Amino acid sequence: MKNKIIILFCALTFCFVNTYGQGKSTGQGRGHQHKFSYEELKAQKNEHLKKTLELTDKEAELFLPLANELTLKKFELNKEYWKQAKALKQKKNATDTEYEALINLMLENQEKEATLDKEYYQKFKKVLPLKKLYKYQSAEKSFRRKVVHSNEKK
């Protein structure tokens, strides 16, 4: 069950970055440049977390930089996986060895993400009440769904 959750998280993170990475449409239709603003996305996410978790100003000041730091570390951790996954998807005659290497990289990344989650849980619980920390995971998921859903409309 835990592995399924981790795989789902990775898949959603990939969809989130892949989908939102295309940015806002310039209104010129398909095939034209899109503009992506990491800072805009981060601000939207921070606002969502602040509202959903009902963070006080002090909690937001202490918690949001840590949450942003964790998100960035996970993003950086998975960059190589996404690059290899994209290349493998485009390859017509990928071998089982290549698939196995990619799966092993994914599993290694999941372990590293779990370690990061544990590390940041220790940091988070110093600045947030446990009830809000408990709600944090579902707030993260609801934000990803919101972003993916809004990009499907575009």
Side-chain angles (χ1 to χ4, degrees), residues 46-64:
N46 287 347
E47 188 58 38
H48 177 80
L49 291 175
K50 189 173 181 179
K51 180 180 176 186
T52 305
L53 300 177
E54 299 174 352
L55 299 178
T56 65
D57 289 341
K58 184 67 173 173
E59 288 170 338
E61 179 184 327
L62 297 171
F63 174 73
L64 294 175

Side-chain angles (χ1 to χ4, degrees), residues 20-41:
Y20 203 85
Q22 296 174 5
K24 290 187 173 184
S25 173
T26 57
Q28 297 172 336
R30 203 169 243 226
H32 290 275
Q33 284 293 329
H34 293 275
K35 186 177 179 186
F36 169 70
S37 169
Y38 172 75
E39 291 302 319
E40 182 181 322
L41 177 62

Side-chain angles (χ1 to χ4, degrees), residues 23-127:
K24 290 187 173 184
S25 173
T26 57
Q28 297 172 336
R30 203 169 243 226
H32 290 275
Q33 284 293 329
H34 293 275
K35 186 177 179 186
F36 169 70
S37 169
Y38 172 75
E39 291 302 319
E40 182 181 322
L41 177 62
K42 184 170 76 170
Q44 290 173 359
K45 180 181 174 186
N46 287 347
E47 188 58 38
H48 177 80
L49 291 175
K50 189 173 181 179
K51 180 180 176 186
T52 305
L53 300 177
E54 299 174 352
L55 299 178
T56 65
D57 289 341
K58 184 67 173 173
E59 288 170 338
E61 179 184 327
L62 297 171
F63 174 73
L64 294 175
L66 290 172
N68 292 330
E69 188 177 293
L70 175 60
T71 299
L72 192 56
K73 283 185 178 184
K74 286 182 177 183
F75 176 77
E76 291 297 324
L77 175 67
N78 285 296
K79 265 186 178 179
E80 184 60 29
Y81 170 78
W82 295 324
K83 179 181 171 186
Q84 288 184 27
K86 183 178 179 182
L88 191 61
K89 185 178 180 181
Q90 293 174 348
K91 194 171 185 179
K92 292 184 181 186
N93 296 319
T95 66
D96 283 348
T97 303
E98 291 170 313
Y99 282 113
E100 184 176 27
L102 187 61
I103 291 168
N104 286 331
L105 179 59
M106 176 189 66
L107 294 172
E108 288 170 19
N109 285 355
Q110 289 173 350
E111 289 175 350
K112 290 175 184 176
E113 281 189 5
T115 300
L116 280 172
D117 286 335
K118 288 178 183 178
E119 175 188 332
Y120 276 81
Y121 166 73
Q122 296 303 320
K123 293 177 182 184
F124 290 163
K125 74 179 191 177
K126 291 177 183 175
V127 298

